[in-house]
Amino acid sequence: MTKTQISYGIVLKDEILYCSNEEKYNIFEIILFVEKLIRSFNPKRTWRLNSIYLKSDKEKERLFIRHELSETNKNLFFLVSGEYEESSQEIQNMLGEFYQKVNANYNTGDLLERCSKKPIFKEIINNITDFLCSKYEILLEHEEIKQEVDHDTTNKLLYGGISSQGLPIISKLFEPTLLNNLNKEITAENIELYNSSFSAQLATIEMNTLIRTNKYNIKQIHIFDLEDKKNKKIILYDQIDKNHFSLTIFASGNFFEIKDLMKLLKIQISKEYILHKEFSGDIKLYKYLEDYFLGLEREF
């Protein structure tokens, strides 16, 4: 492992305080849009971002994330990124040590923010990341990845949608209790407002990933919920047609089983000819596609 193969970052709410590799700066910007999603739809601050997975035709990149809250309740993220599997324990160990060493020097978000403006800040963090690269080089090279499937979970579809070039076309909220996070009454009007805003932000994340990185598509966002520790929340993206439409689901439960169900949904819905043509502008023509999400909910 060389230093160019792995990158480190520190993000506080809407600002990247540190990026070890300038070539990865645009990738790290994606977390700013995900932070906005979490802040908007989980003001109780019980969601913790675990990882983000990006993929291009030839490359892949995974952001491993330690998500903390600053003393002023701002979202604070420590990042380690590279071509590593979600189940890599050594990457998690490295991420934990990165957090500990930075925290030993800057133990509050306010201190981090103030000191990040000083030239010595990057020098100190660079020394930490150099040490971590040296320590974990051999450990990562020889690590055997073990994918542990936890069957003690309850799979649940929370949301499903289709978008085109950043514009939501079809969207349906399957778990109205998500409104409880916003202290909103569960009414038809509030469900529609939530669904509209949620779908717009998911589509924005997808489009901004492609625009800023110029090659990567976002594929996965993993979220840990402090109120439901058994069931990780997962946002999955996939392209139905590379030039026209993409598919998104938000679910909780067993990641591997949910990913398989997403693949099945894509196979089924990709047979629709209307999704292989340019968006017509008439959303009503696509309304019947909601039936595919209803079928997926039954599979859950």
Side-chain angles (χ1 to χ4, degrees):
M1 180 188 70
T2 64
K3 193 168 183 181
T4 56
Q5 292 175 309
I6 194 162
S7 302
Y8 302 83
I10 302 172
V11 177
L12 181 61
K13 193 181 175 182
D14 55 3
E15 185 178 2
I16 299 174
L17 303 183
Y18 173 80
C19 177
S20 66
N21 183 349
E22 289 301 317
E23 291 182 3
K24 299 295 177 68
Y25 190 90
N26 290 346
I27 291 176
F28 285 0
E29 279 188 312
I30 305 309
I31 202 170
L32 303 180
F33 298 96
V34 180
E35 189 276 341
K36 182 180 178 182
L37 176 82
I38 290 175
R39 179 162 37 93
S40 299
F41 294 96
N42 184 241
K44 291 165 43 175
R45 303 185 187 280
T46 58
W47 292 2
R48 295 291 185 272
L49 193 54
N50 270 12
S51 67
I52 298 173
Y53 178 56
L54 312 171
K55 190 176 181 181
S56 69
D57 291 336
K58 298 180 180 179
E59 300 175 45
K60 61 182 181 179
E61 187 85 16
R62 193 181 302 273
L63 306 182
F64 295 84
I65 301 160
R66 171 83 177 238
H67 182 176
E68 300 286 331
L69 291 180
S70 73
E71 69 284 353
T72 54
N73 277 331
K74 293 181 181 178
N75 287 314
L76 176 59
F77 307 100
F78 294 83
L79 317 177
V80 173
S81 85
E83 294 187 29
Y84 297 96
E85 296 298 324
E86 172 79 12
S87 305
S88 172
Q89 187 57 52
E90 293 299 347
I91 284 288
Q92 294 297 340
N93 294 341
M94 176 191 281
L95 177 59
E97 193 166 351
F98 179 45
Y99 164 73
Q100 290 169 3
K101 290 187 179 300
V102 173
N103 193 57
N105 288 275
Y106 309 100
N107 60 359
T108 68
D110 181 60
L111 185 61
L112 260 175
E113 190 171 16
R114 281 191 285 109
C115 293
S116 68
K117 314 299 181 186
K118 301 176 182 179
I120 196 172
F121 176 80
K122 187 164 186 179
E123 183 179 335
I124 290 172
I125 308 300
N126 281 346
N127 287 337
I128 292 172
T129 59
D130 284 342
F131 168 79
L132 293 174
C133 279
S134 297
K135 177 177 178 178
Y136 285 92
E137 179 175 7
I138 296 177
L139 294 173
L140 282 165
E141 185 179 344
H142 296 286
E143 181 182 21
E144 292 185 17
I145 302 296
K146 297 179 181 179
Q147 293 185 345
E148 297 182 3
V149 179
D150 184 6
H151 295 287
D152 187 27
T153 56
T154 303
N155 295 334
K156 184 179 290 188
L157 180 63
L158 308 176
Y159 163 92
I162 296 172
S163 63
S164 175
Q165 303 296 311
L167 176 67
I169 306 299
I170 295 292
S171 59
K172 184 169 181 59
L173 185 68
F174 288 92
E175 188 52 64
T177 58
L178 287 172
L179 272 71
N180 294 336
N181 287 324
L182 304 177
N183 293 319
K184 294 284 188 180
E185 185 181 355
I186 298 177
T187 64
E189 182 181 3
N190 284 338
I191 288 172
E192 182 58 33
L193 287 171
Y194 186 105
N195 183 59
S196 177
S197 180
F198 191 69
S199 62
Q201 287 206 35
L202 289 178
T204 297
I205 290 170
E206 182 178 28
M207 277 304 296
N208 275 293
T209 299
L210 190 56
I211 291 169
R212 278 168 163 70
T213 65
N214 203 29
K215 64 178 179 179
Y216 285 107
N217 288 296
I218 192 163
K219 304 296 285 186
Q220 303 167 12
I221 300 172
H222 294 249
I223 298 169
F224 180 71
D225 189 347
L226 297 179
E227 292 186 326
D228 187 11
K229 295 183 179 180
K230 284 200 310 181
N231 300 297
K232 181 187 284 188
K233 287 180 166 57
I234 306 124
I235 300 171
L236 295 178
Y237 292 87
D238 209 343
Q239 293 175 306
I240 300 171
D241 182 284
K242 190 172 183 179
N243 299 313
H244 300 115
F245 296 91
S246 59
L247 181 66
T248 308
I249 68 168
F250 180 36
S252 65
N254 185 297
F255 166 62
F256 299 104
E257 293 174 356
I258 292 170
K259 189 168 69 168
D260 287 343
L261 288 170
M262 177 71 158
K263 287 180 181 177
L264 180 62
L265 173 62
K266 181 186 175 182
I267 291 171
Q268 293 172 338
I269 207 167
S270 292
K271 296 174 184 176
E272 294 290 340
Y273 176 69
I274 196 172
L275 296 176
H276 297 278
K277 301 190 299 180
E278 294 241 357
F279 174 50
S280 69
D282 186 354
I283 292 177
K284 292 178 183 178
L285 295 176
Y286 302 85
K287 191 70 175 173
Y288 76 97
L289 297 172
E290 283 187 7
D291 291 344
Y292 283 95
F293 292 107
L294 295 172
L296 179 64
E297 185 188 30
R298 288 191 289 271
E299 292 289 336
F300 272 77

